[in-house]
Amino acid sequence: MAFDIEMIKKVYENMPARVDKAREVVGHPLTLSEKILYAHLWEGNPSQSFTRAKDYVDFAPDRVACQDATAQMALLQFMHAGKSQVAVPTTVHCDHLIQAKVGAKTDLALANSQSKEVFDFLSSVSNKYGIGFWKPGAGIIHQIVLENYAFPGGMMIGTDSHTVNAGGLGMLAIGVGGADAVDVMSGMAWELKFPKLIGVKLTGKLNGWSAPKDVILKVADILTVKGGTGAIVEYFGEGAQSMSCTGKGTICNMGAEIGATTSTFGYDDSMRRYLAATGRQDVVDAADQVASYLTGDPEVYANPSQYFDELIEINLSELDPYINGPFTPDRGTPVSKMKEVALANNWPLDVKWGLIGSCTNSSYEDMSRAASIVEQALAMGIHPKAEFGINPGSEQIRYTIERDGIIATFEKLGTKVFTNACGPCIGQWDRDGAEKEEKNTIVHSFNRNFSKRADGNPNTHAFVTSPEMVAALAISGRLDFNPLTDTLTNDKGEQVKFQPPVGDELPTRGFDVEDAGFQPPAADGSSVQVVVNPESSRLQLLEPFQPFDGKNITGAKLLIKAFGKCTTDHISMAGPWLRYRGHLDNISNNMLIGAENAYNHATNKVKNQLTGVYDEVPKVARAYKAAGIPSIVVGDQNYGEGSSREHAAMEPRHLGVKAVLVKSFARIHETNLKKQGMLALTFANEADYNLIQEDDTINFLDLTSFAAGKPLQIEFVHQDGSRDIIQANHTYNEGQIAWYKAGSALNLIARGL
C-alpha cells in the first residue's frame, strides 16, 4: 500500500468539484497545470480567475520533502515555529553528505562516521515532529519520492530545486527554500506567483540512440537557463505518452535548468505501470476514478497555442542525441556536430571520466540501457579509455540491478559503484588529481555542469548527456566520438561498431529490496529530545534576524559587483562546504567566494573600503558588519540560478548585507531573499549596473515608505564626490513587506502572525 493513501484519496475526492468550478470561473478549458493549481488553492473551491505572472496566490501543498543538506536549516527554523508536529506529510532524505571516492561500502561508512552528528540530529528531529526519515544510503531524495510518494495530480514542495522530478508522475512538484517548507510544515499557506504556462508538444517516438534526456537537453538549448523562469512547462502529445514514467521524470528534473517553476506530464499508462511496479496499485485505482482530471482538457491539446503562453513542438522521431556544455547546461550540441564544435572551441577531446546516476538518470531503465552498451564493449573486446562510475538512485534500484546482473556487467569494465547518493553531481566527489586544476573533459548524466561543480576544478569541462551516451563516450575516450556512425578498434585490431542501446522500462522480475532504509517517526514525539551541542562546528541553533528599524539604509558599502553568471554555487558552494549546512556562521565563510568581481575579474578578491586592501569576500563582509556598516551586493542576469539552497540568502543576511540589486533574479533565490528579510531589487534600467563603482557608498532615499508596486530610489555616492540616483524595482506584495519589516518570514510565524 502507498504511503499516505488516505491523503491521496482526499485530494482525488476534492478534485472534480474544484476543477469544474475553476473551469467555470476561468471560462475556458484547462491545462493540467491549471487543474492542479486551482485544485490546491488554500481557500478550497476557486472563486476567481488568476492572472498569470501577476497574481500572488496562496496554495495548500499535499506534502514536503527535504534533503539532508537543506533539511538542517529548514528544521532548525521549524524548531522556532512552536509546533508539536508537521501539518502535512513530510520526509527527510540523507543523500547529499556522502562523498564518492572509493566505492559504496567504504564511502558510506566514512560518511556515517564523519556526519554522525548531523544524521543523528536529523533522525531525532524527524522522530520528534512526525517526519519520515530515510537513512544514509537509502537513496537520492527525488528517486525515493518518485518510488514512494509522488502521485498524479498532487502538489508538493521540496527544499531542493530538483523536486520537480516528481512531475514524471504527473505532480506539480516545486523546489523551494527551507523557509517556504517551514510555512507548509507549520500548517500555513504557501505563496506563489501564478505561473505562466509553456506547452511542449511531443510527436513521434524516440528511437535508436535518442533518449528522454535528449528532449530536455533540446528544450534547454531552445529556452536557455532563464527561459522557463516563472513558468510551468507542460508536456503532452503522442510522444509524451510513448515514454516511460522515469523518462518523464528525467525531463521534468532538468526543468530546473531552464528556471522553470516546475514541469509535468498528464496521467497515462506509463504512470499506471510504474505505480503498480512500485507497489502502489491503490493509487492507480484511486487515480483512475478521476483520470480525466489528471491531464489537460482535450480542447487544450487540440489547440495548444490558444492556451499556453509559449509553445514548442519536438518530433521525437527526428530528435538527435545531444551533448550539452561545457560550464552551462543549456549549450546544446547534437552528437553529430560535436567534432566540429569541440575543435572550434578548443575543448579537450580526451574523456577522462564517465559518470552515470544522480537524481536525473538513475532509474532501472537508465542503468539497463547504459549496461547494454557496456555488454557490447565486453563482447567486442573493447577496453574503456576513461574511468567509469555509477550512482544508483535508491537502495531498491541498487538491489534490483545487482540481482539482475547489471552491476556485475558494469564491474567487468572496471566501473566504480558509488553509494546510492548524489555524489559527484553536487560536488561530493574526491577526485584524484582535481587539485592540479588541469584542463580536462568529463561526461555525465547529471543535470548541472557549472564550473567547479563536480570536482572543484575550474578547468574541468563537464558535458551533460544521456546514460547510454555517457557509456559510449567513456568507453571510446573521445568527446567527438559519434556512436551512430563511428567505429572503434578492439583488442584484435578489428573495427567494431556499437548497436543502439536497449533496456527494460521496468524490471521483468519486479523490484526487490531487503532494507529500503526508511525510519518511521514515533507515534508521539513529545518525549524525544533534540540536542545541539553549543560547541559543534556542524550545527548551530538559530538566532532570529533583527527586524527593520523603520529608517533608510545609509552609508552602506558595496561588497561586490558580480559579473556574469552567478549561481547559488557561486554564492554558497557545495562540495566540502556541505558539512557546515547546519551551522550558519561557519558556512558563511563561503559566501560569494565563487562570484567574479566585475572590477578585477578575480574570484574571492574584493576591496575593503575601510582599509583599501583587497581581501576575501566573507572577511570584508565581516569587517563591515563589525564596524556597524551595512553592505549591498550587485549582480548580473538570472542571479541565483541553480540550487534552491537558502544558505545563499541566509549567509548575506547573517553577514550584514542589506540588499541584493541585480539585472534579474532566478525565482527561488528571489523568494529566499524575501523570506530572510532581505531586499531583493532589480535595476529599472539595466544599464545602471554600469554606473556602480568599486568605492561607492550607498544610501536608500525612500525605504521608509516601502510599499507594493512602488520602486525605490537609491543614491550611489562615488569616491570623487559625484553621485548617481537610480530606480530599483521590486516584486514585494504587502505580505512580503511584512516579512521584511519583521526581520524574516520565520519571525512572523514564531509570533503566531
Side-chain angles (χ1 to χ4, degrees), residues 593-629:
I593 64 175
E596 181 178 339
N597 184 350
Y599 302 108
N600 57 17
H601 297 286
T603 58
N604 205 22
K605 189 176 181 181
V606 296
K607 189 173 185 179
N608 182 336
Q609 292 189 49
L610 302 179
T611 64
V613 175
Y614 285 86
D615 208 338
E616 298 171 359
V617 182
K619 288 184 179 179
V620 175
R622 289 183 187 276
Y624 292 153
K625 181 180 179 181
I629 298 172

Side-chain angles (χ1 to χ4, degrees), residues 169-420:
L169 255 176
M171 291 195 88
L172 288 189
I174 301 169
V176 299
D180 276 354
V182 171
D183 283 354
V184 178
M185 289 190 288
S186 301
M188 299 173 62
W190 173 63
E191 183 186 68
L192 177 72
K193 185 179 286 186
F194 205 82
K196 297 180 293 182
L197 300 178
I198 298 174
V200 180
K201 182 178 181 179
L202 301 178
T203 60
K205 187 175 183 180
L206 292 169
N207 61 85
W209 283 87
S210 297
K213 185 64 162 269
D214 299 307
V215 176
I216 186 57
L217 295 180
K218 175 70 172 177
V219 170
D221 189 48
I222 294 169
L223 289 177
T224 78
V225 290
K226 63 177 184 177
T229 302
I232 294 175
V233 182
E234 184 171 323
Y235 294 84
F236 63 95
E238 61 177 358
Q241 295 184 20
S242 70
M243 286 188 291
S244 68
C245 177
T246 52
K248 292 178 172 70
T250 292
I251 293 169
C252 292
N253 182 289
M254 273 195 69
E257 275 55 70
I258 57 172
T261 301
T262 191
S263 303
T264 195
F265 285 79
Y267 181 50
D268 63 12
D269 284 341
S270 73
M271 297 182 191
R272 292 183 176 93
R273 292 192 298 271
Y274 186 76
L275 286 165
T278 51
R280 292 174 285 172
Q281 182 61 45
D282 47 355
V283 177
V284 176
D285 295 341
D288 281 347
Q289 299 300 309
V290 291
S292 65
Y293 292 93
L294 304 178
T295 189
D297 285 337
E299 299 92 335
V300 169
Y301 295 155
N303 297 285
S305 60
Q306 296 181 27
Y307 302 99
F308 291 99
D309 299 293
E310 185 174 352
L311 181 65
I312 296 170
E313 295 192 33
I314 298 174
N315 185 340
L316 301 184
S317 301
E318 300 173 355
L319 181 64
D320 291 327
Y322 267 72
I323 302 171
N324 282 28
F327 306 127
T328 186
D330 62 344
R331 181 172 186 166
T333 304
V335 65
S336 60
K337 296 182 179 179
M338 179 53 79
K339 181 173 295 194
E340 60 183 275
V341 174
L343 287 172
N345 287 280
N346 195 31
W347 295 336
L349 295 179
D350 289 339
V351 174
K352 300 300 184 183
W353 267 91
L355 297 157
I356 295 172
S358 88
C359 59
T360 320
N361 281 107
S362 55
S363 68
Y364 187 90
E365 181 179 39
D366 292 327
M367 295 297 177
S368 64
R369 282 176 64 87
S372 75
I373 303 304
V374 174
E375 287 176 340
Q376 290 184 56
L378 292 167
M380 293 188 296
I382 302 173
H383 300 288
K385 300 296 192 297
E387 293 189 76
F388 217 161
I390 63 170
N391 286 78
S394 69
E395 176 57 14
Q396 178 170 268
I397 294 292
R398 188 212 63 79
Y399 189 93
T400 304
I401 64 174
E402 181 177 54
R403 180 201 67 191
D404 292 350
I406 292 174
I407 285 183
T409 296
F410 278 113
E411 289 180 332
K412 288 175 184 176
L413 210 65
T415 303
K416 284 188 177 180
V417 181
F418 296 125
T419 313
N420 315 319

Side-chain angles (χ1 to χ4, degrees), residues 537-606:
S537 66
R538 300 287 301 270
L539 296 166
Q540 180 187 46
L541 293 176
L542 295 174
E543 294 292 332
F545 289 130
Q546 291 300 306
F548 175 51
D549 62 6
K551 302 176 182 178
N552 281 318
I553 299 168
T554 58
K557 299 299 183 182
L558 176 69
L559 178 61
I560 186 173
K561 178 169 146 180
F563 176 81
K565 186 182 284 286
C566 192
T567 73
T568 49
D569 280 274
H570 296 88
I571 304 168
S572 176
M573 288 183 177
W577 289 96
L578 285 171
R579 73 189 66 168
Y580 300 121
R581 282 287 181 85
H583 197 293
L584 181 56
D585 192 58
N586 283 346
I587 199 169
S588 292
N589 289 323
N590 79 356
M591 185 190 74
L592 284 158
I593 64 175
E596 181 178 339
N597 184 350
Y599 302 108
N600 57 17
H601 297 286
T603 58
N604 205 22
K605 189 176 181 181
V606 296

